[in-house]
Amino acid sequence: MMLTIALLLGSAIVIYLSCEYFVNSIEWVGRRLGVAQSAVGTVLAAFGTALPETVVTFVAVVFGRDAAHKDIGVGAALGGPLALSTIAYAVVGLMFILNRKKLGSILLSTADGARLSRDQAWFMGIFILKISLGLFAFAFKPWFGLLFLLAYGAYIWGEIRKEDSADVEVHDLDPLKFRPHDPEPGLGWATLQTIVALVVIFLSSQLFVAQLEAMAPWLGISPHLVALLLSPIATELPEILNAVIWVRQGKQTLALSNISGAMMIQATIPTALVLIFTPWMLDTALIWAGTITMVSIAGLYVLLRKQMLTGPRLALFGGLYVVFAAGLAVIGIR
């Protein structure tokens, strides 16, 4: 038990330190590629930080030995968006509150708020289809997996082609950690640091998830519930810790873009995998997870559209995860 707890804490610390290197290098990669600052968060950073949870789903549904192992992938496919839409967004709000003297009172510019609201609209449309497919059984359901992959491709194409608006603040970048004395590090060095950071994040995340799964029997809960309630928190740690780092640097737009982009990945790629390799039939707990996710994103969308999103209001979204956990207790999932 003590070893498991030590490994759990140690892997979390390693993930945080690796995220420091990742956010530092991914901004340099974006600058060297000429990518808009918003796309650095929604595409480049999101793709990297979404790898742990995507791999969890892939390994579980493709190589799972039995239905219980495949349930881990199914739970992760819904647990990821749930954790991001509640805990990750709330962390941005909390960090903004803690750094309000440095950051002021404006969480997002008007242009950034409008762009982020469009991302939420994209997500809601895809997510509603995702949940709807899990309510019915029919023979050609696996073919919808290709549709979700195409949807993510269209999203990436749109993000990459965007240019930063005139009122988007371009931040000075900290020196690349692999080249601290080089004022203009090349793309090769920035890419190398990104890859090394991602490898460490991936390995550490797998260790973190393994320790959570080892703790499940002591906590008296099933692998299905671990995948739905606990594992997503672990696999979303890169996005959560990136948010902590970026908000502390005054780059809350990048933090929110990273979460939003990761949610788009979670709504499409893992969904495609579970549609192709599993029956994708949702039980009560999974439907409850989808409901809380939709409530959170719908609330965020309304606040963004009305330009009413603030740090304290964003922090309140974390309470929805508590509501989710309480709902599981009422449902009686074991």
Side-chain angles (χ1 to χ4, degrees):
M1 179 67 169
M2 294 302 296
L3 177 60
T4 298
I5 294 175
L7 289 173
L8 191 73
L9 295 176
S11 58
I13 293 172
V14 172
I15 292 171
Y16 177 83
L17 295 175
S18 302
C19 285
E20 289 269 11
Y21 279 76
F22 176 77
V23 299
N24 169 251
S25 60
I26 202 66
E27 290 186 70
W28 277 110
V29 170
R31 178 168 293 187
R32 287 289 170 260
L33 293 176
V35 175
Q37 191 179 57
S38 61
V40 171
T42 57
V43 178
L44 298 182
F47 184 80
T49 55
L51 278 178
E53 57 267 32
T54 302
V55 170
V56 168
T57 302
F58 176 77
V59 172
V61 301
V62 177
F63 301 106
R65 299 186 300 273
D66 49 37
H69 282 85
K70 289 183 182 291
D71 279 348
I72 293 177
V74 173
L78 273 173
L82 171 67
L84 287 172
S85 65
T86 55
I87 296 174
Y89 276 133
V91 166
V92 175
L94 288 171
M95 290 304 300
F96 189 80
I97 294 170
L98 293 174
N99 293 272
R100 60 185 178 275
K101 290 184 179 179
K102 172 186 175 182
L103 303 177
S105 59
I106 300 177
L107 179 64
L108 287 172
S109 69
T110 301
D112 286 331
R115 181 190 53 75
L116 194 61
S117 71
R118 289 192 294 269
D119 284 357
Q120 309 316 304
W122 262 85
F123 177 84
M124 285 191 290
I126 293 172
F127 197 74
I128 288 172
L129 176 60
K130 170 180 179 173
I131 297 300
S132 299
L133 290 172
L135 302 178
F136 306 97
F138 50 92
F140 57 91
K141 186 187 291 188
W143 288 101
F144 276 89
L146 299 178
L147 178 62
F148 280 87
L149 293 177
L150 290 173
Y152 185 64
Y155 173 76
I156 288 181
W157 178 252
E159 289 295 302
I160 292 294
R161 294 182 65 190
K162 286 180 182 177
E163 295 182 359
D164 285 325
S165 303
D167 61 344
V168 172
E169 182 182 355
V170 179
H171 299 275
D172 291 331
L173 302 187
D174 292 332
L176 189 71
K177 292 183 181 294
F178 274 19
R179 301 280 291 178
H181 303 298
D182 187 350
E184 293 293 333
L187 177 61
W189 281 106
T191 302
L192 175 63
Q193 181 175 311
T194 301
I195 293 172
V196 171
L198 283 176
V199 170
V200 177
I201 288 171
F202 171 74
L203 295 176
S204 302
S205 295
Q206 296 306 300
L207 180 61
F208 193 104
V209 171
Q211 303 318 303
L212 282 180
E213 292 175 349
M215 292 175 65
W218 303 331
L219 299 174
I221 57 180
S222 67
H224 182 77
L225 187 54
V226 170
L228 189 59
L229 186 61
L230 299 181
S231 290
I233 298 178
T235 55
E236 306 306 334
L237 268 182
E239 288 90 348
I240 293 171
L241 295 179
N242 283 354
V244 171
I245 296 166
W246 266 324
V247 176
R248 287 176 57 192
Q249 295 176 352
K251 301 175 182 177
Q252 56 269 19
T253 300
L254 277 173
L256 290 169
S257 296
N258 185 192
I259 297 170
S260 178
M263 287 193 65
M264 283 300 302
I265 294 177
Q266 284 296 296
T268 53
I269 297 179
T271 303
L273 292 172
V274 296
L275 283 170
I276 293 170
F277 293 102
T278 76
W280 187 240
M281 293 299 297
L282 305 183
D283 59 20
T284 305
L286 294 173
I287 294 173
W288 176 236
T291 301
I292 293 296
T293 302
M294 279 301 301
V295 168
S296 180
I297 295 303
L300 182 63
Y301 176 78
V302 170
L303 290 174
L304 286 167
R305 293 291 295 177
K306 293 182 176 294
Q307 299 181 24
M308 296 173 59
L309 188 65
T310 62
R313 286 172 180 162
L314 192 57
L316 290 175
F317 281 81
L320 288 173
Y321 201 79
V322 178
V323 173
F324 169 70
L328 286 183
V330 172
I331 293 171
I333 300 299
R334 298 285 179 188

